[in-house]
Amino acid sequence: ATRTKSADVERVDSGIGQMPARKWRNRASETLSSLQAWEAHRPCTDCGERDLPVETDVQNCNKRRADLCEKCRKRRTERKESVLEFVNTEASYGEDLRIIKEEFYLPMQAAGLLSQEQLLGIFSNIQELIDLNENFLEILQEEIDQAFDQGDDDLMTVCIGEIFLEFVNMLPAFQTYCLQQSSSVNMLNALEKEKELLRIFLNVSQNDNTALRRMNLRSFLMAPLQRVTKYPLLLSRIIKATNEYHPDHGSLREAKSRIESHLEHINMKTKQEGNTWTLRSFRQDSKKKREVINIEMRETALKTVGWLREETRFVMEGSLQLAQPPDGQWVKKGSKTLKFQNMQVLLLVNMKRVSESSLESAEPGPVKDAVLVLIRDKNNGKFHLLREPLRLSNCIVSTDPDCDDTFELIEIRREAFVFRDSDRARTHHWFRQIRRYSRELGSWKKRRNALPNIMISTPHTRP
């Protein structure tokens, strides 16, 4: 036999023997089959179900839009349509507002058909609504464009609820307009009968101005009322098509609750003023009633302090028990000699505006002022202030270690108040928040938390 050179020998095995190599190949084949089976029946990324259709074509499987079941795919489509409907209808509403200003208000003002007082009576705060709509729509459109630029064709990254809550100050603006609607229409009717030139202008505008779509001024003046009542319906559609695990789901529900509470508050105000019309009826549950009461208390507090709404932040609000010590000396606040009464308390903070847009900076500006507003429980349908607001820059807040279920607030050279909540933990939370702003704004903020009668020796006077 001819001897074969070692260099001509080609090794055909794996180098680990025939039996181990066969077992390895079998295991690799099983693993590949398992991966292919999992790929074909992978769970839906939205709901976790495994009823995805099996793709026989590997190329089509790789080109699938997402690993979604048919139900979730349909839900995403519905959500995208609902989001776009929200944005598009907001744009249409904004166009109607601009028509009111450019086709009616400005021409009537330039021609001198009405005085400035009459224009204000008819058009109310229309400019405020226009500014809010432009800012709101700008942010919404930016979110839509950014989602498409990032390849989010389903608009899953667009959070309508969060954006709506950022612009929650537009709800009081709607309220102002709605409450003046009846008087605005009555004034317009009276002036139209009285002024012939005004009647001619309105008729010519409706018939000849194509931008008005043959609608009269009264129809356009109804646009804000129609828009504010449509928000709950639009938000409900988005909520229905949004998975509960979506980061915007909670914000959407809160936004819907806030707008419904404001609508209930508007209806309550219209009834108090003797009007028969209402915007929309809602289910009267306890949560909405509490929110309506909170809205009314915030309005009372804002009128009292005279701050701008966009510069005001409500840090805490709720019911507290209040007592006033009989003298200026430190007393055992848990003593039975103190008589407590229930009181609605609101902690308001006035913030400096960092920029014109509230969304340009996530961090609030520095604190200019902080007050504590004390409101008696509702009587005869109205809230009444106990006294003028307590400015925390003139107050000292402290506790007694022997009685940790209360805290004391002393207004320098004036009065002392003892507060407590039915829940001890919440009492401590109130104390920490009030003391924080008292120290930050007061000239004594660097002193120790000593007893008030040691820090201040001036006597207290009672009214």
Side-chain angles (χ1 to χ4, degrees), residues 67-110:
D67 299 319
L68 300 172
C69 64
E70 189 62 29
K71 180 180 178 180
C72 292
R73 191 174 301 177
K74 182 179 179 181
R75 174 183 288 182
R76 284 199 177 191
T77 302
E78 292 175 353
R79 185 181 188 278
K80 177 181 179 180
E81 293 175 352
S82 301
V83 170
L84 291 177
E85 181 186 11
F86 188 99
V87 178
N88 293 335
T89 53
E90 186 70 22
S92 300
Y93 159 67
E95 184 61 29
D96 288 343
L97 292 181
R98 284 185 286 276
I99 288 176
I100 293 175
K101 178 181 178 181
E102 297 173 4
E103 305 297 335
F104 290 105
Y105 180 89
L106 293 179
M108 292 164 66
Q109 183 185 45

Side-chain angles (χ1 to χ4, degrees), residues 297-330:
M297 286 195 302
R298 292 171 200 152
E299 287 188 347
T300 302
L302 275 177
K303 290 180 181 179
T304 303
V305 298
W307 297 345
L308 295 176
R309 190 183 304 274
E310 58 269 18
E311 295 182 359
T312 304
R313 186 162 64 92
F314 292 88
V315 180
M316 289 191 69
E317 56 188 34
S319 177
L320 283 178
Q321 293 181 343
L322 177 145
Q324 292 184 269
D327 52 35
Q329 300 297 322
W330 182 270

Side-chain angles (χ1 to χ4, degrees), residues 19-63:
M19 292 299 294
R22 190 180 302 114
K23 290 182 179 180
W24 181 86
R25 286 194 295 270
N26 291 338
R27 183 173 300 176
S29 178
E30 293 175 0
T31 302
L32 181 60
S33 300
S34 299
L35 288 175
Q36 291 175 346
W38 183 87
E39 180 69 23
H41 301 281
R42 68 170 60 185
C44 173
T45 55
D46 280 5
C47 65
E49 297 294 333
R50 292 179 178 270
D51 58 347
L52 296 177
V54 178
E55 295 284 354
T56 56
D57 189 349
V58 178
Q59 185 177 3
N60 292 336
C61 183
N62 293 334
K63 289 183 178 181

Side-chain angles (χ1 to χ4, degrees), residues 210-334:
T210 57
L212 303 186
R213 310 187 300 275
R214 290 193 172 274
M215 294 170 56
N216 56 29
L217 175 57
R218 294 174 185 80
S219 300
F220 282 101
L221 291 177
M222 291 295 294
L225 281 73
Q226 295 169 349
R227 184 58 185 172
V228 73
T229 53
K230 197 172 182 180
Y231 280 133
L233 177 61
L234 294 172
L235 291 172
S236 296
R237 291 177 181 174
I238 301 177
I239 293 172
K240 184 178 179 181
T242 301
N243 193 292
E244 61 179 350
Y245 301 109
H246 192 279
D248 195 39
H249 191 269
S251 298
L252 285 168
R253 289 193 172 276
E254 183 181 355
K256 181 174 179 289
S257 177
R258 294 286 290 273
I259 183 62
E260 288 179 347
S261 298
H262 270 274
L263 292 177
E264 287 292 345
H265 186 246
I266 293 173
N267 289 337
M268 181 188 68
K269 285 289 188 180
T270 56
K271 292 179 181 179
Q272 292 177 355
E273 296 178 3
N275 297 322
T276 57
W277 63 272
T278 55
L279 291 177
R280 186 182 175 185
S281 60
F282 292 95
R283 182 168 54 90
Q284 296 286 341
D285 56 28
S286 58
K287 182 178 180 180
K288 287 191 177 66
K289 287 182 178 179
R290 287 196 303 270
E291 182 61 27
V292 169
I293 293 175
N294 290 340
I295 294 171
E296 193 170 358
M297 286 195 302
R298 292 171 200 152
E299 287 188 347
T300 302
L302 275 177
K303 290 180 181 179
T304 303
V305 298
W307 297 345
L308 295 176
R309 190 183 304 274
E310 58 269 18
E311 295 182 359
T312 304
R313 186 162 64 92
F314 292 88
V315 180
M316 289 191 69
E317 56 188 34
S319 177
L320 283 178
Q321 293 181 343
L322 177 145
Q324 292 184 269
D327 52 35
Q329 300 297 322
W330 182 270
V331 296
K332 289 289 184 180
K333 295 180 288 298

Side-chain angles (χ1 to χ4, degrees), residues 178-190:
C178 293
L179 293 178
Q180 296 182 10
Q181 180 63 20
S182 295
S183 60
S184 299
V185 173
N186 293 334
M187 179 179 291
L188 178 61
N189 293 335

